[in-house]
C-alpha cells in the first residue's frame, strides 16, 4: 500500500481517537474537580484528606489544559508537535499532582503504586495514537515519572527493582502492540484494495504464498476477456441518469460475481465495458478455460437480468471477446497513482475481437 495513503489513514484515525480521549479527559477532570470543591467547602467529605488551594489550582490547570486541547483538536490543529505537547503535559500534570497534591498520601507504598499505575495508564492511552515515535517518547516519560516518584518516596518496605522490570516488560508489550496495529492496518487496507480487483480466493492465495504485487511489470502469458453491452449508449439516452447508474451498478455487480467465481482479475470498468484478466498476478494452467466458462456465465447472468427487468421483448445483449497471449503485466502509472494492468498488442487484439461481435 502507498505509504502516504497509510500515513493519512493513521493520522485521521489517531485524530478521532485523540478527540475521544480529550472529551473523556475533560469530563473526568471536571468530575474530580467537583468532588474536590465539595470537600474543600466542607459540603460533604469525599476524601480522607481535605483538599487545599493547591489541589484546586492543579484541578483548574488541568481543566484549562484539557479544554484547550479539545478546542485545538476540533479545529483540526493536529500534527506531531501538538501530539508531543499533549503527551508531555499529561505526564507533567500527573507528576505535579503525585508530588504536591496533599490529598494523595506520600507515606509508605501508596504513592509508588500510584506512580506505577499512572505511568502505565498514560502510556497505554498513547497507543491510540498509532505512532512508533510517540510510543517510545511516552515510554521514556513513563520511566522518568516512575523514577522521580519512587526515588523521592522510596522506603525500605518495598523493593522497586521488580516493579521496574515489570514496568519495562509492559512498556515493551505496548510498543509491540503499536507495531502490530500499524502492520495490521496496512495489511487490512491493502487486502481491501486488492479485493476490488481480484477475487477473494486469489487475494487469500497471494497472502498465503506471501506474494506481493510489486511496482513495475513482467512479460506474462494471460487470457484477456473484454465484454461490452450492445448499443448501451442508445439505451442510456432513453433513461434518466439515476436509472442508468442503478442499472450499471446492478449489471457490474452481477458480472463481477461471475468473474471472481472463476478467479479472474478485473483490470478496469470502462462505462458498461469490463476488461478482465485470467493468469495475472497468479498464473494457472486453466486460465483460458476459466475465461470461456466466465463468458457463458456472464451471458446467463445477463439473461436473468433481462428477465428481472422485463426486457424479454427487446433484451439487452452483450459482446465478449477472448484472447490468449503474452503481455506486460504489473503496476503501471505515475508515482502518485498506480494501476495493476496489462498492456501490449494482445490486449488491443482482444479488444478488436470483442468489437467484431457487433457484426459476427
Amino acid at each position: 500500500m502507498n505509504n502516504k495513503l497509510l500515513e493519512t489513514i493513521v493520522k485521521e484515525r489517531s485524530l478521532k481517537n485523540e478527540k475521544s480521549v480529550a472529551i473523556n479527559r475533560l469530563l473526568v477532570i471536571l468530575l474530580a474537580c467537583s468532588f474536590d470543591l465539595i470537600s474543600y467547602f466542607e459540603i460533604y467529605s469525599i476524601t480522607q484528606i481535605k483538599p487545599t488551594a493547591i489541589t484546586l489550582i492543579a484541578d483548574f490547570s488541568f481543566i484549562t489544559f484539557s479544554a484547550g486541547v479539545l478546542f485545538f483538536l476540533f479545529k483540526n490543529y493536529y500534527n506531531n508537535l501538538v501530539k508531543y505537547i499533549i503527551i508531555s503535559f499529561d505526564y507533567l500534570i500527573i507528576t505535579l499532582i503525585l508530588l504536591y497534591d496533599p490529598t494523595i498520601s506520600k507515606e509508605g507504598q501508596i504513592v509508588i503504586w500510584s506512580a506505577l499505575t499512572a505511568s502505565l495508564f498514560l502510556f497505554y492511552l498513547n497507543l491510540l495514537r498509532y505512532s512508533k515515535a510517540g510510543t517510545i517518547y511516552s515510554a521514556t516519560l513513563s520511566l522518568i515519572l516512575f523514577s522521580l516518584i519512587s526515588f523521592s518516596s522510596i522506603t525500605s518496605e518495598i523493593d522497586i527493582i521488580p516493579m521496574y522490570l515489570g514496568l519495562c516488560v509492559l512498556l515493551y508489550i505496548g510498543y509491540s502492540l503499536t507495531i502490530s496495529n500499524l502492520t495490521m492496518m496496512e495489511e487490512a487496507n491493502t487486502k481491501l484494495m486488492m479485493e476490488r480487483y481480484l477475487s477473494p480466493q486469489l487475494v487469500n492465495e497471494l497472502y498465503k504464498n506471501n506474494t506481493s504485487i510489486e511496482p513495475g511489470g513482467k512479460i506474462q502469458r494471460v487470457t484477456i476477456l473484454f465484454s461490452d453491452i450492445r448499443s448501451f449508449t442508445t439505451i442510456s439516452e432513453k433513461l434518466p441518469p439515476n436509472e442508468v447508474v442503478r442499472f450499471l451498478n446492478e449489471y457490474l455487480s452481477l458480472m463481477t460475481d461471475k468473474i471472481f467465481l472463476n478467479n479472474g482479475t478485473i483490470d478496469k470498468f470502462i462505462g458498461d465495458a469490463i476488461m478482465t484478466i485470467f493468469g495475472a498476478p497468479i498464473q494457472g494452467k486453466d486460465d483460458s478455460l476459466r475465461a470461456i466458462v466466465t463468458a457463458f456465465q456472464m451471458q446467463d447472468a445477463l439473461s436473468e437480468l433481462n428477465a428481472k427487468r422485463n426486457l424479454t421483448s427487446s433484451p439487452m445483449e452483450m459482446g465478449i471477446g477472448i484472447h490468449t497471449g503474452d503481455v506486460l503485466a504489473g503496476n503501471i502509472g505515475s508515482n502518485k497513482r498506480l494501476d495493476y494492468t496489462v498492456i501490449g498488442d494482445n490486449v488491443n487484439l482482444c479488444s478488436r475481437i470483442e468489437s467484431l461481435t457487433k457484426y459476427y
Side-chain angles (χ1 to χ4, degrees), residues 255-322:
M255 299 305 137
T256 298
D257 289 343
K258 303 305 178 185
I259 292 166
F260 281 178
L261 184 63
N262 295 288
N263 287 339
T265 300
I266 294 177
D267 185 293
K268 58 178 68 71
F269 296 126
I270 313 165
D272 60 296
I274 307 173
M275 177 181 168
T276 308
I277 315 162
F278 294 86
I282 296 179
Q283 200 165 25
K285 295 180 180 179
D286 60 343
D287 294 331
S288 299
L289 178 60
R290 285 186 288 110
I292 294 169
V293 171
T294 301
F296 281 111
Q297 291 179 351
M298 290 172 72
Q299 291 285 10
D300 290 340
L302 184 60
S303 298
E304 293 173 7
L305 185 59
N306 282 325
K308 179 182 177 182
R309 288 182 164 262
N310 297 319
L311 299 174
T312 50
S313 57
S314 55
M316 289 192 182
E317 297 180 340
M318 175 170 51
I320 296 178
I322 300 174

Side-chain angles (χ1 to χ4, degrees), residues 117-138:
T117 303
S119 300
L120 288 173
F121 173 75
L122 292 175
F123 172 73
Y124 279 95
L125 194 65
N126 175 73
L127 299 187
L128 293 172
R129 297 182 173 100
Y130 303 115
S131 168
K132 293 181 184 178
T135 302
I136 293 172
Y137 181 66
S138 183

Side-chain angles (χ1 to χ4, degrees), residues 223-289:
T223 297
I224 308 151
L225 182 152
F226 272 94
S227 66
D228 188 26
I229 296 177
R230 288 289 154 258
S231 304
F232 183 73
T233 303
T234 305
I235 297 168
S236 63
E237 288 173 351
K238 299 176 183 178
L239 298 173
N242 60 329
E243 184 62 25
V244 174
V245 171
R246 190 179 297 113
F247 170 78
L248 266 181
N249 287 339
E250 186 176 5
Y251 166 78
L252 294 174
S253 295
L254 279 173
M255 299 305 137
T256 298
D257 289 343
K258 303 305 178 185
I259 292 166
F260 281 178
L261 184 63
N262 295 288
N263 287 339
T265 300
I266 294 177
D267 185 293
K268 58 178 68 71
F269 296 126
I270 313 165
D272 60 296
I274 307 173
M275 177 181 168
T276 308
I277 315 162
F278 294 86
I282 296 179
Q283 200 165 25
K285 295 180 180 179
D286 60 343
D287 294 331
S288 299
L289 178 60

Side-chain angles (χ1 to χ4, degrees), residues 1-35:
M1 186 178 183
N2 186 285
N3 288 334
K4 289 185 178 180
L5 178 59
L6 179 62
E7 288 175 8
T8 302
I9 293 171
V10 171
K11 185 177 179 181
E12 289 175 354
R13 182 70 262 175
S14 60
L15 175 58
K16 290 179 182 178
N17 289 346
E18 194 77 72
K19 287 178 180 178
S20 299
V21 171
I23 292 170
N24 287 291
R25 180 196 289 115
L26 183 59
L27 291 175
V28 169
I29 191 60
L30 284 173
L31 183 64
C33 184
S34 300
F35 290 154

